[in-house]
Amino acid sequence: MTYRATYDASMADPEGFWMQAADAIDWTKPPSKALFDRGEHLYEWFADGLTNGCYNAVDRHVENGRGGQPAIIHDSPITGTKSSITYAELQTRVASLAGALVAQGVAKGDRVIIYMPMVPEALEAMLACARIGAVHSVVFGGFAANELAVRIDDCQPKAILAASCGLEPGRVIHYKPLLDGAIDIATHKPDVCLILQREQERATLIDGRDLDWHAAQDGVAPADCVPVEGNHPAYILYTSGTTGAPKGVVRATGGHLVALHWTMKNIYNVDPGDVFWAASDVGWVVGHSYICYGPLIHGNTTIVFEGKPVGTPDAGTFWRVIEEHNVRSFFTAPTAIRAVKREDSKGEYKAKYDLSGLRALYLAGERADPDTIEWAQDLLGVPVYDHWWQTETGYTIAGNPAGLEALPVKVGSPTVAMPGYNVQILDEAGHPQKPGELGAIAIKLPLPPGTLPTLWNATDRFRKSYLTTFPGYYETGDAGMMDADGYLYIMARTDDVINVAGHRLSTGAMEEVLAGHPDVAECAVVGVSDPLKGQSPLGLLCLTNGVNRPHGEITGECVKLVREKIGPVAAFKNALVVDRLPKTRSGKILRATVVKIADNQEFKMPATIDDPAILDEIRMALQTIGYAKV
């Protein structure tokens, strides 16, 4: 079927469409129907079916003769090690770890926090929880103690699975003191912590609470898969809330398995047995969906990569991994490709590797600027597909369904809505906008399977956060437009649409123009306070390595470019060269924090910030042009 026919079928008969997709999953008891309307705009999918996430990701492949196929390849340029685990080995390891959890009293419905670096054991921990029906909550390894404590108090885990340390280029991150500190701060105390001792640092274990990862498994009976209901939470993943309290996104088991399986072929165009690589971290939604569950449910080989796009050891590390492991589809964040481009703008490292097995590059996590996409297309000679989704949805809202029908790429657009997503552009009153008009992006309810049914213990907050602005719709928090062909353009977070003298302008459109300047490697545009116009745009520019022209010349050219491409209405007069941009560890630029610094407002240090020192650098740079006044 073509994309259009498939999408139309998902709109005309969503229940029939998703019941058919559910046939690809092994059920202990198939669901009686697909959609359950719980009233007041709350929905559940496959609620009365019985299934198990670990069985679908591991055991069934062993039973179907794929036991000898690699399930996980671990590649760590930081430690200089590589290893491979087959599906049969993974089944043994996961059943043993699940048995250790059962021996410690963990049962179906109990929560388990996972605080791990990029090692195979992080995936084994997730799968061991799924095996016994425990609800895991992965917290990004190395997260600050107070942030971990907030999550401990919110989901109240019976157990915590952690490692002694994580590794960054040139430094060891001490996880255990952070974990101990978090448990001290938290009101809720876990019964037990299982600690994976890494050779780079052995942690001190606390008697009566901490157990060695391997010792806890000695002499323990391996656990069998426990069937759970389709609406049973597979996991909770905390996303930073604007109010400071994190929001626990819930993922229900049945829809999660069905939707992720559907995406592996239809979007990422891989067949069982192919190697799929998402260069992300287990702490983010991409790690859940496309390092752990998606590839394994589909019978692919997944790569767990402990390294960085540059500096481990160089800007060729992505290309080495793709060649060595014969990666077919590669998924990373635009910020990672920009880092490679900044270090190696001519693509000299790529020439050292044979990437003939690679079919496509997929980008998500933030807007992919056309300049980065075009650079990657030229370098790699394969399609580069931007696609757009959220922690809340768990997989693609809008993308290019390459395995179903590869649609023409329009650079700057993540392409079209995926089956099940009725995406609309609405004005402030909730009326649909015409093609080409900027508005709020909303999705008509019900959302498809695999998306969040609610927030953990916070249904009222779920409604308030997502369902109240446009009744009958899920509010994405992103602004954009749709063209006459149904291609979606994500222009900014709703908060990043700035109001300059009454004109609503997208900072994303300005960033697109600035990124097109040959000397600019990366940029961000924010709206700072302006006594006359309300807000005025300010551009922060990071230059490509090796550029040594006067900064004033470059910023002058950038101001001129924006005036030419967007017009005087943008009132773009200020650009500033900085060494680096403040980002979260997943690569999102902390624009709202920059605005607060520029406007001299109080702000809370974002929990997910990659390097807090950058904020002081930005403050000092802003002071040179009259902002962030002391």
Side-chain angles (χ1 to χ4, degrees):
M1 276 169 90
T2 62
Y3 158 73
R4 179 47 61 189
T6 306
Y7 181 81
D8 289 349
S10 80
M11 290 293 112
D13 179 15
E15 297 219 36
F17 180 87
W18 290 112
M19 277 302 262
Q20 191 177 349
D23 288 343
I25 297 307
D26 284 35
W27 300 87
T28 311
K29 174 179 152 246
S32 64
K33 61 176 185 166
L35 185 66
F36 293 73
D37 184 342
R38 301 305 191 197
E40 298 187 350
H41 300 309
L42 299 177
Y43 298 91
E44 291 179 334
W45 291 90
F46 313 120
D48 65 353
L50 288 175
T51 186
N52 181 279
C54 181
Y55 180 84
N56 275 282
V58 184
D59 300 65
R60 67 170 178 163
H61 302 308
V62 179
E63 289 169 18
N64 294 338
R66 308 185 79 86
Q69 179 198 313
I72 299 170
I73 292 170
H74 185 230
D75 189 308
S76 171
I78 293 182
T79 60
T81 58
K82 292 169 216 168
S83 59
S84 175
I85 299 168
T86 65
Y87 273 102
E89 289 165 340
L90 184 61
Q91 183 184 35
T92 302
R93 290 167 67 144
V94 170
S96 174
L97 181 58
L101 289 174
V102 170
Q104 295 302 321
V106 179
K108 179 187 168 189
D110 287 337
R111 275 78 60 210
V112 175
I113 277 183
I114 299 171
Y115 187 67
M116 302 280 287
M118 288 299 288
V119 291
E121 288 86 352
L123 273 59
E124 291 166 15
M126 296 162 85
L127 293 163
C129 291
R131 191 171 191 85
I132 58 175
V135 182
H136 66 67
S137 185
V138 181
V139 177
F140 188 95
F143 234 31
N146 58 313
E147 295 294 336
L148 179 54
V150 168
R151 289 153 175 77
I152 291 171
D153 281 337
D154 193 71
C155 75
Q156 305 199 330
K158 185 166 266 194
I160 296 180
L161 300 177
S164 56
C165 66
L167 304 171
E168 294 274 327
R171 67 191 179 122
V172 173
I173 314 292
H174 315 289
Y175 283 8
K176 188 59 169 43
L178 292 167
L179 175 63
D180 293 343
I183 294 172
D184 286 345
I185 300 166
T187 310
H188 173 86
K189 311 292 181 191
D191 292 354
V192 66
C193 298
L194 265 57
I195 308 296
L196 177 72
Q197 297 279 23
R198 300 190 74 186
E199 61 186 55
Q200 290 76 17
E201 176 172 280
R202 301 191 72 75
T204 307
L205 303 186
I206 294 173
D207 279 349
R209 186 195 77 193
D210 299 343
L211 295 174
D212 175 87
W213 185 279
H214 296 292
Q217 299 178 44
D218 286 347
V220 166
D224 289 329
C225 295
V226 174
V228 300
E229 297 76 16
N231 62 358
H232 181 74
Y235 67 76
I236 303 162
L237 180 55
Y238 287 95
T239 178
S240 43
T242 44
T243 57
K247 295 184 286 198
V249 168
V250 173
R251 192 82 61 219
T253 301
H256 156 72
L257 298 173
V258 172
L260 290 183
H261 185 281
W262 188 91
T263 64
M264 291 308 298
K265 178 60 186 169
N266 290 290
I267 296 174
Y268 298 107
N269 196 20
V270 285
D271 296 312
D274 285 345
V275 179
F276 178 85
W277 180 25
S280 179
D281 187 280
V282 286
W284 310 123
V285 69
V286 174
H288 286 61
S289 294
Y290 293 111
I291 297 176
C292 185
Y293 289 106
L296 296 177
I297 293 162
H298 195 246
N300 291 103
T301 299
T302 187
I303 294 182
V304 174
F305 172 73
E306 187 178 41
K308 300 278 183 191
V310 295
T312 59
D314 54 44
T317 194
F318 277 178
W319 320 135
R320 173 192 66 76
V321 172
I322 290 168
E323 177 193 80
E324 279 186 20
H325 306 302
N326 192 24
V327 173
R328 312 300 273 170
S329 288
F330 175 44
F331 177 171
T332 191
T335 190
I337 299 297
R338 282 196 290 270
V340 174
K341 175 175 174 256
R342 191 179 185 185
E343 290 282 315
D344 182 27
S345 59
K346 295 190 170 60
E348 288 164 8
Y349 279 103
K350 185 256 170 188
K352 301 177 184 178
Y353 301 100
D354 172 10
L355 305 189
S356 55
L358 183 69
R359 295 199 196 104
L361 166 66
Y362 291 82
L363 299 175
E366 26 143 20
R367 286 183 66 252
D369 56 285
D371 199 57
T372 299
I373 290 178
E374 284 161 356
W375 181 83
Q377 277 174 346
D378 293 345
L379 180 73
L380 298 173
V382 297
V384 176
Y385 297 126
D386 182 19
H387 62 321
W388 170 66
W389 48 292
Q390 302 178 319
T391 301
E392 289 85 349
T393 66
Y395 65 101
T396 313
I397 304 169
N400 199 318
L404 182 64
E405 178 191 7
L407 300 173
V409 169
K410 292 188 185 184
V411 173
S413 166
T415 316
V416 291
M418 288 297 94
Y421 288 102
N422 184 346
V423 178
Q424 313 230 343
I425 311 294
L426 305 177
D427 67 13
E428 278 157 2
H431 301 126
Q433 295 280 57
K434 295 190 188 77
E437 286 182 355
L438 188 68
I441 306 174
I443 304 166
K444 200 163 183 352
L445 296 173
L447 293 175
T451 55
L452 81 169
T454 187
L455 294 172
W456 181 253
N457 286 344
T459 303
D460 287 346
R461 190 175 178 199
F462 170 67
R463 285 204 185 89
K464 194 161 160 279
S465 298
Y466 304 105
L467 308 182
T468 49
T469 308
F470 305 112
Y473 288 86
Y474 165 88
E475 181 192 7
T476 67
D478 280 306
M481 60 181 193
M482 199 179 270
D483 71 12
D485 299 328
Y487 277 62
L488 194 61
Y489 291 79
I490 317 297
M491 300 317 292
R493 291 296 291 171
T494 318
D495 315 345
D496 294 331
V497 174
I498 60 174
N499 205 319
V500 181
H503 297 284
R504 281 166 59 81
L505 296 168
S506 154
T507 54
M510 295 182 220
E511 288 174 6
E512 215 160 272
V513 173
L514 295 175
H517 188 288
D519 295 345
V520 174
E522 192 164 30
C523 63
V525 173
V526 296
V528 291
S529 293
D530 183 300
L532 189 65
K533 296 188 161 84
Q535 284 180 299
S536 67
L538 166 67
L540 302 178
L541 314 174
C542 295
L543 303 184
T544 304
N545 281 9
V547 171
N548 55 7
R549 297 167 55 212
H551 291 176
E553 271 181 31
I554 297 170
T555 55
E557 290 164 5
C558 285
V559 168
K560 190 161 164 271
L561 264 180
V562 173
R563 284 184 72 86
E564 282 169 10
K565 295 271 170 71
I566 294 179
V569 68
F572 186 85
K573 298 188 179 71
N574 272 331
L576 181 62
V577 173
V578 295
D579 281 341
R580 47 194 191 146
L581 297 172
K583 293 180 185 178
T584 66
R585 292 175 179 181
S586 64
K588 288 188 174 64
I589 296 166
L590 293 163
R591 293 176 179 82
T593 307
V594 173
V595 171
K596 288 201 164 96
I597 293 171
D599 292 346
N600 249 340
Q601 293 176 340
E602 290 276 307
F603 67 90
K604 179 175 176 267
M605 172 78 72
T608 54
I609 191 164
D610 192 30
D611 182 354
I614 301 180
L615 298 182
D616 288 331
E617 295 171 16
I618 295 290
R619 185 188 303 277
M620 288 166 72
L622 287 167
Q623 285 169 353
T624 65
I625 56 167
Y627 290 100
K629 296 186 184 77
V630 182

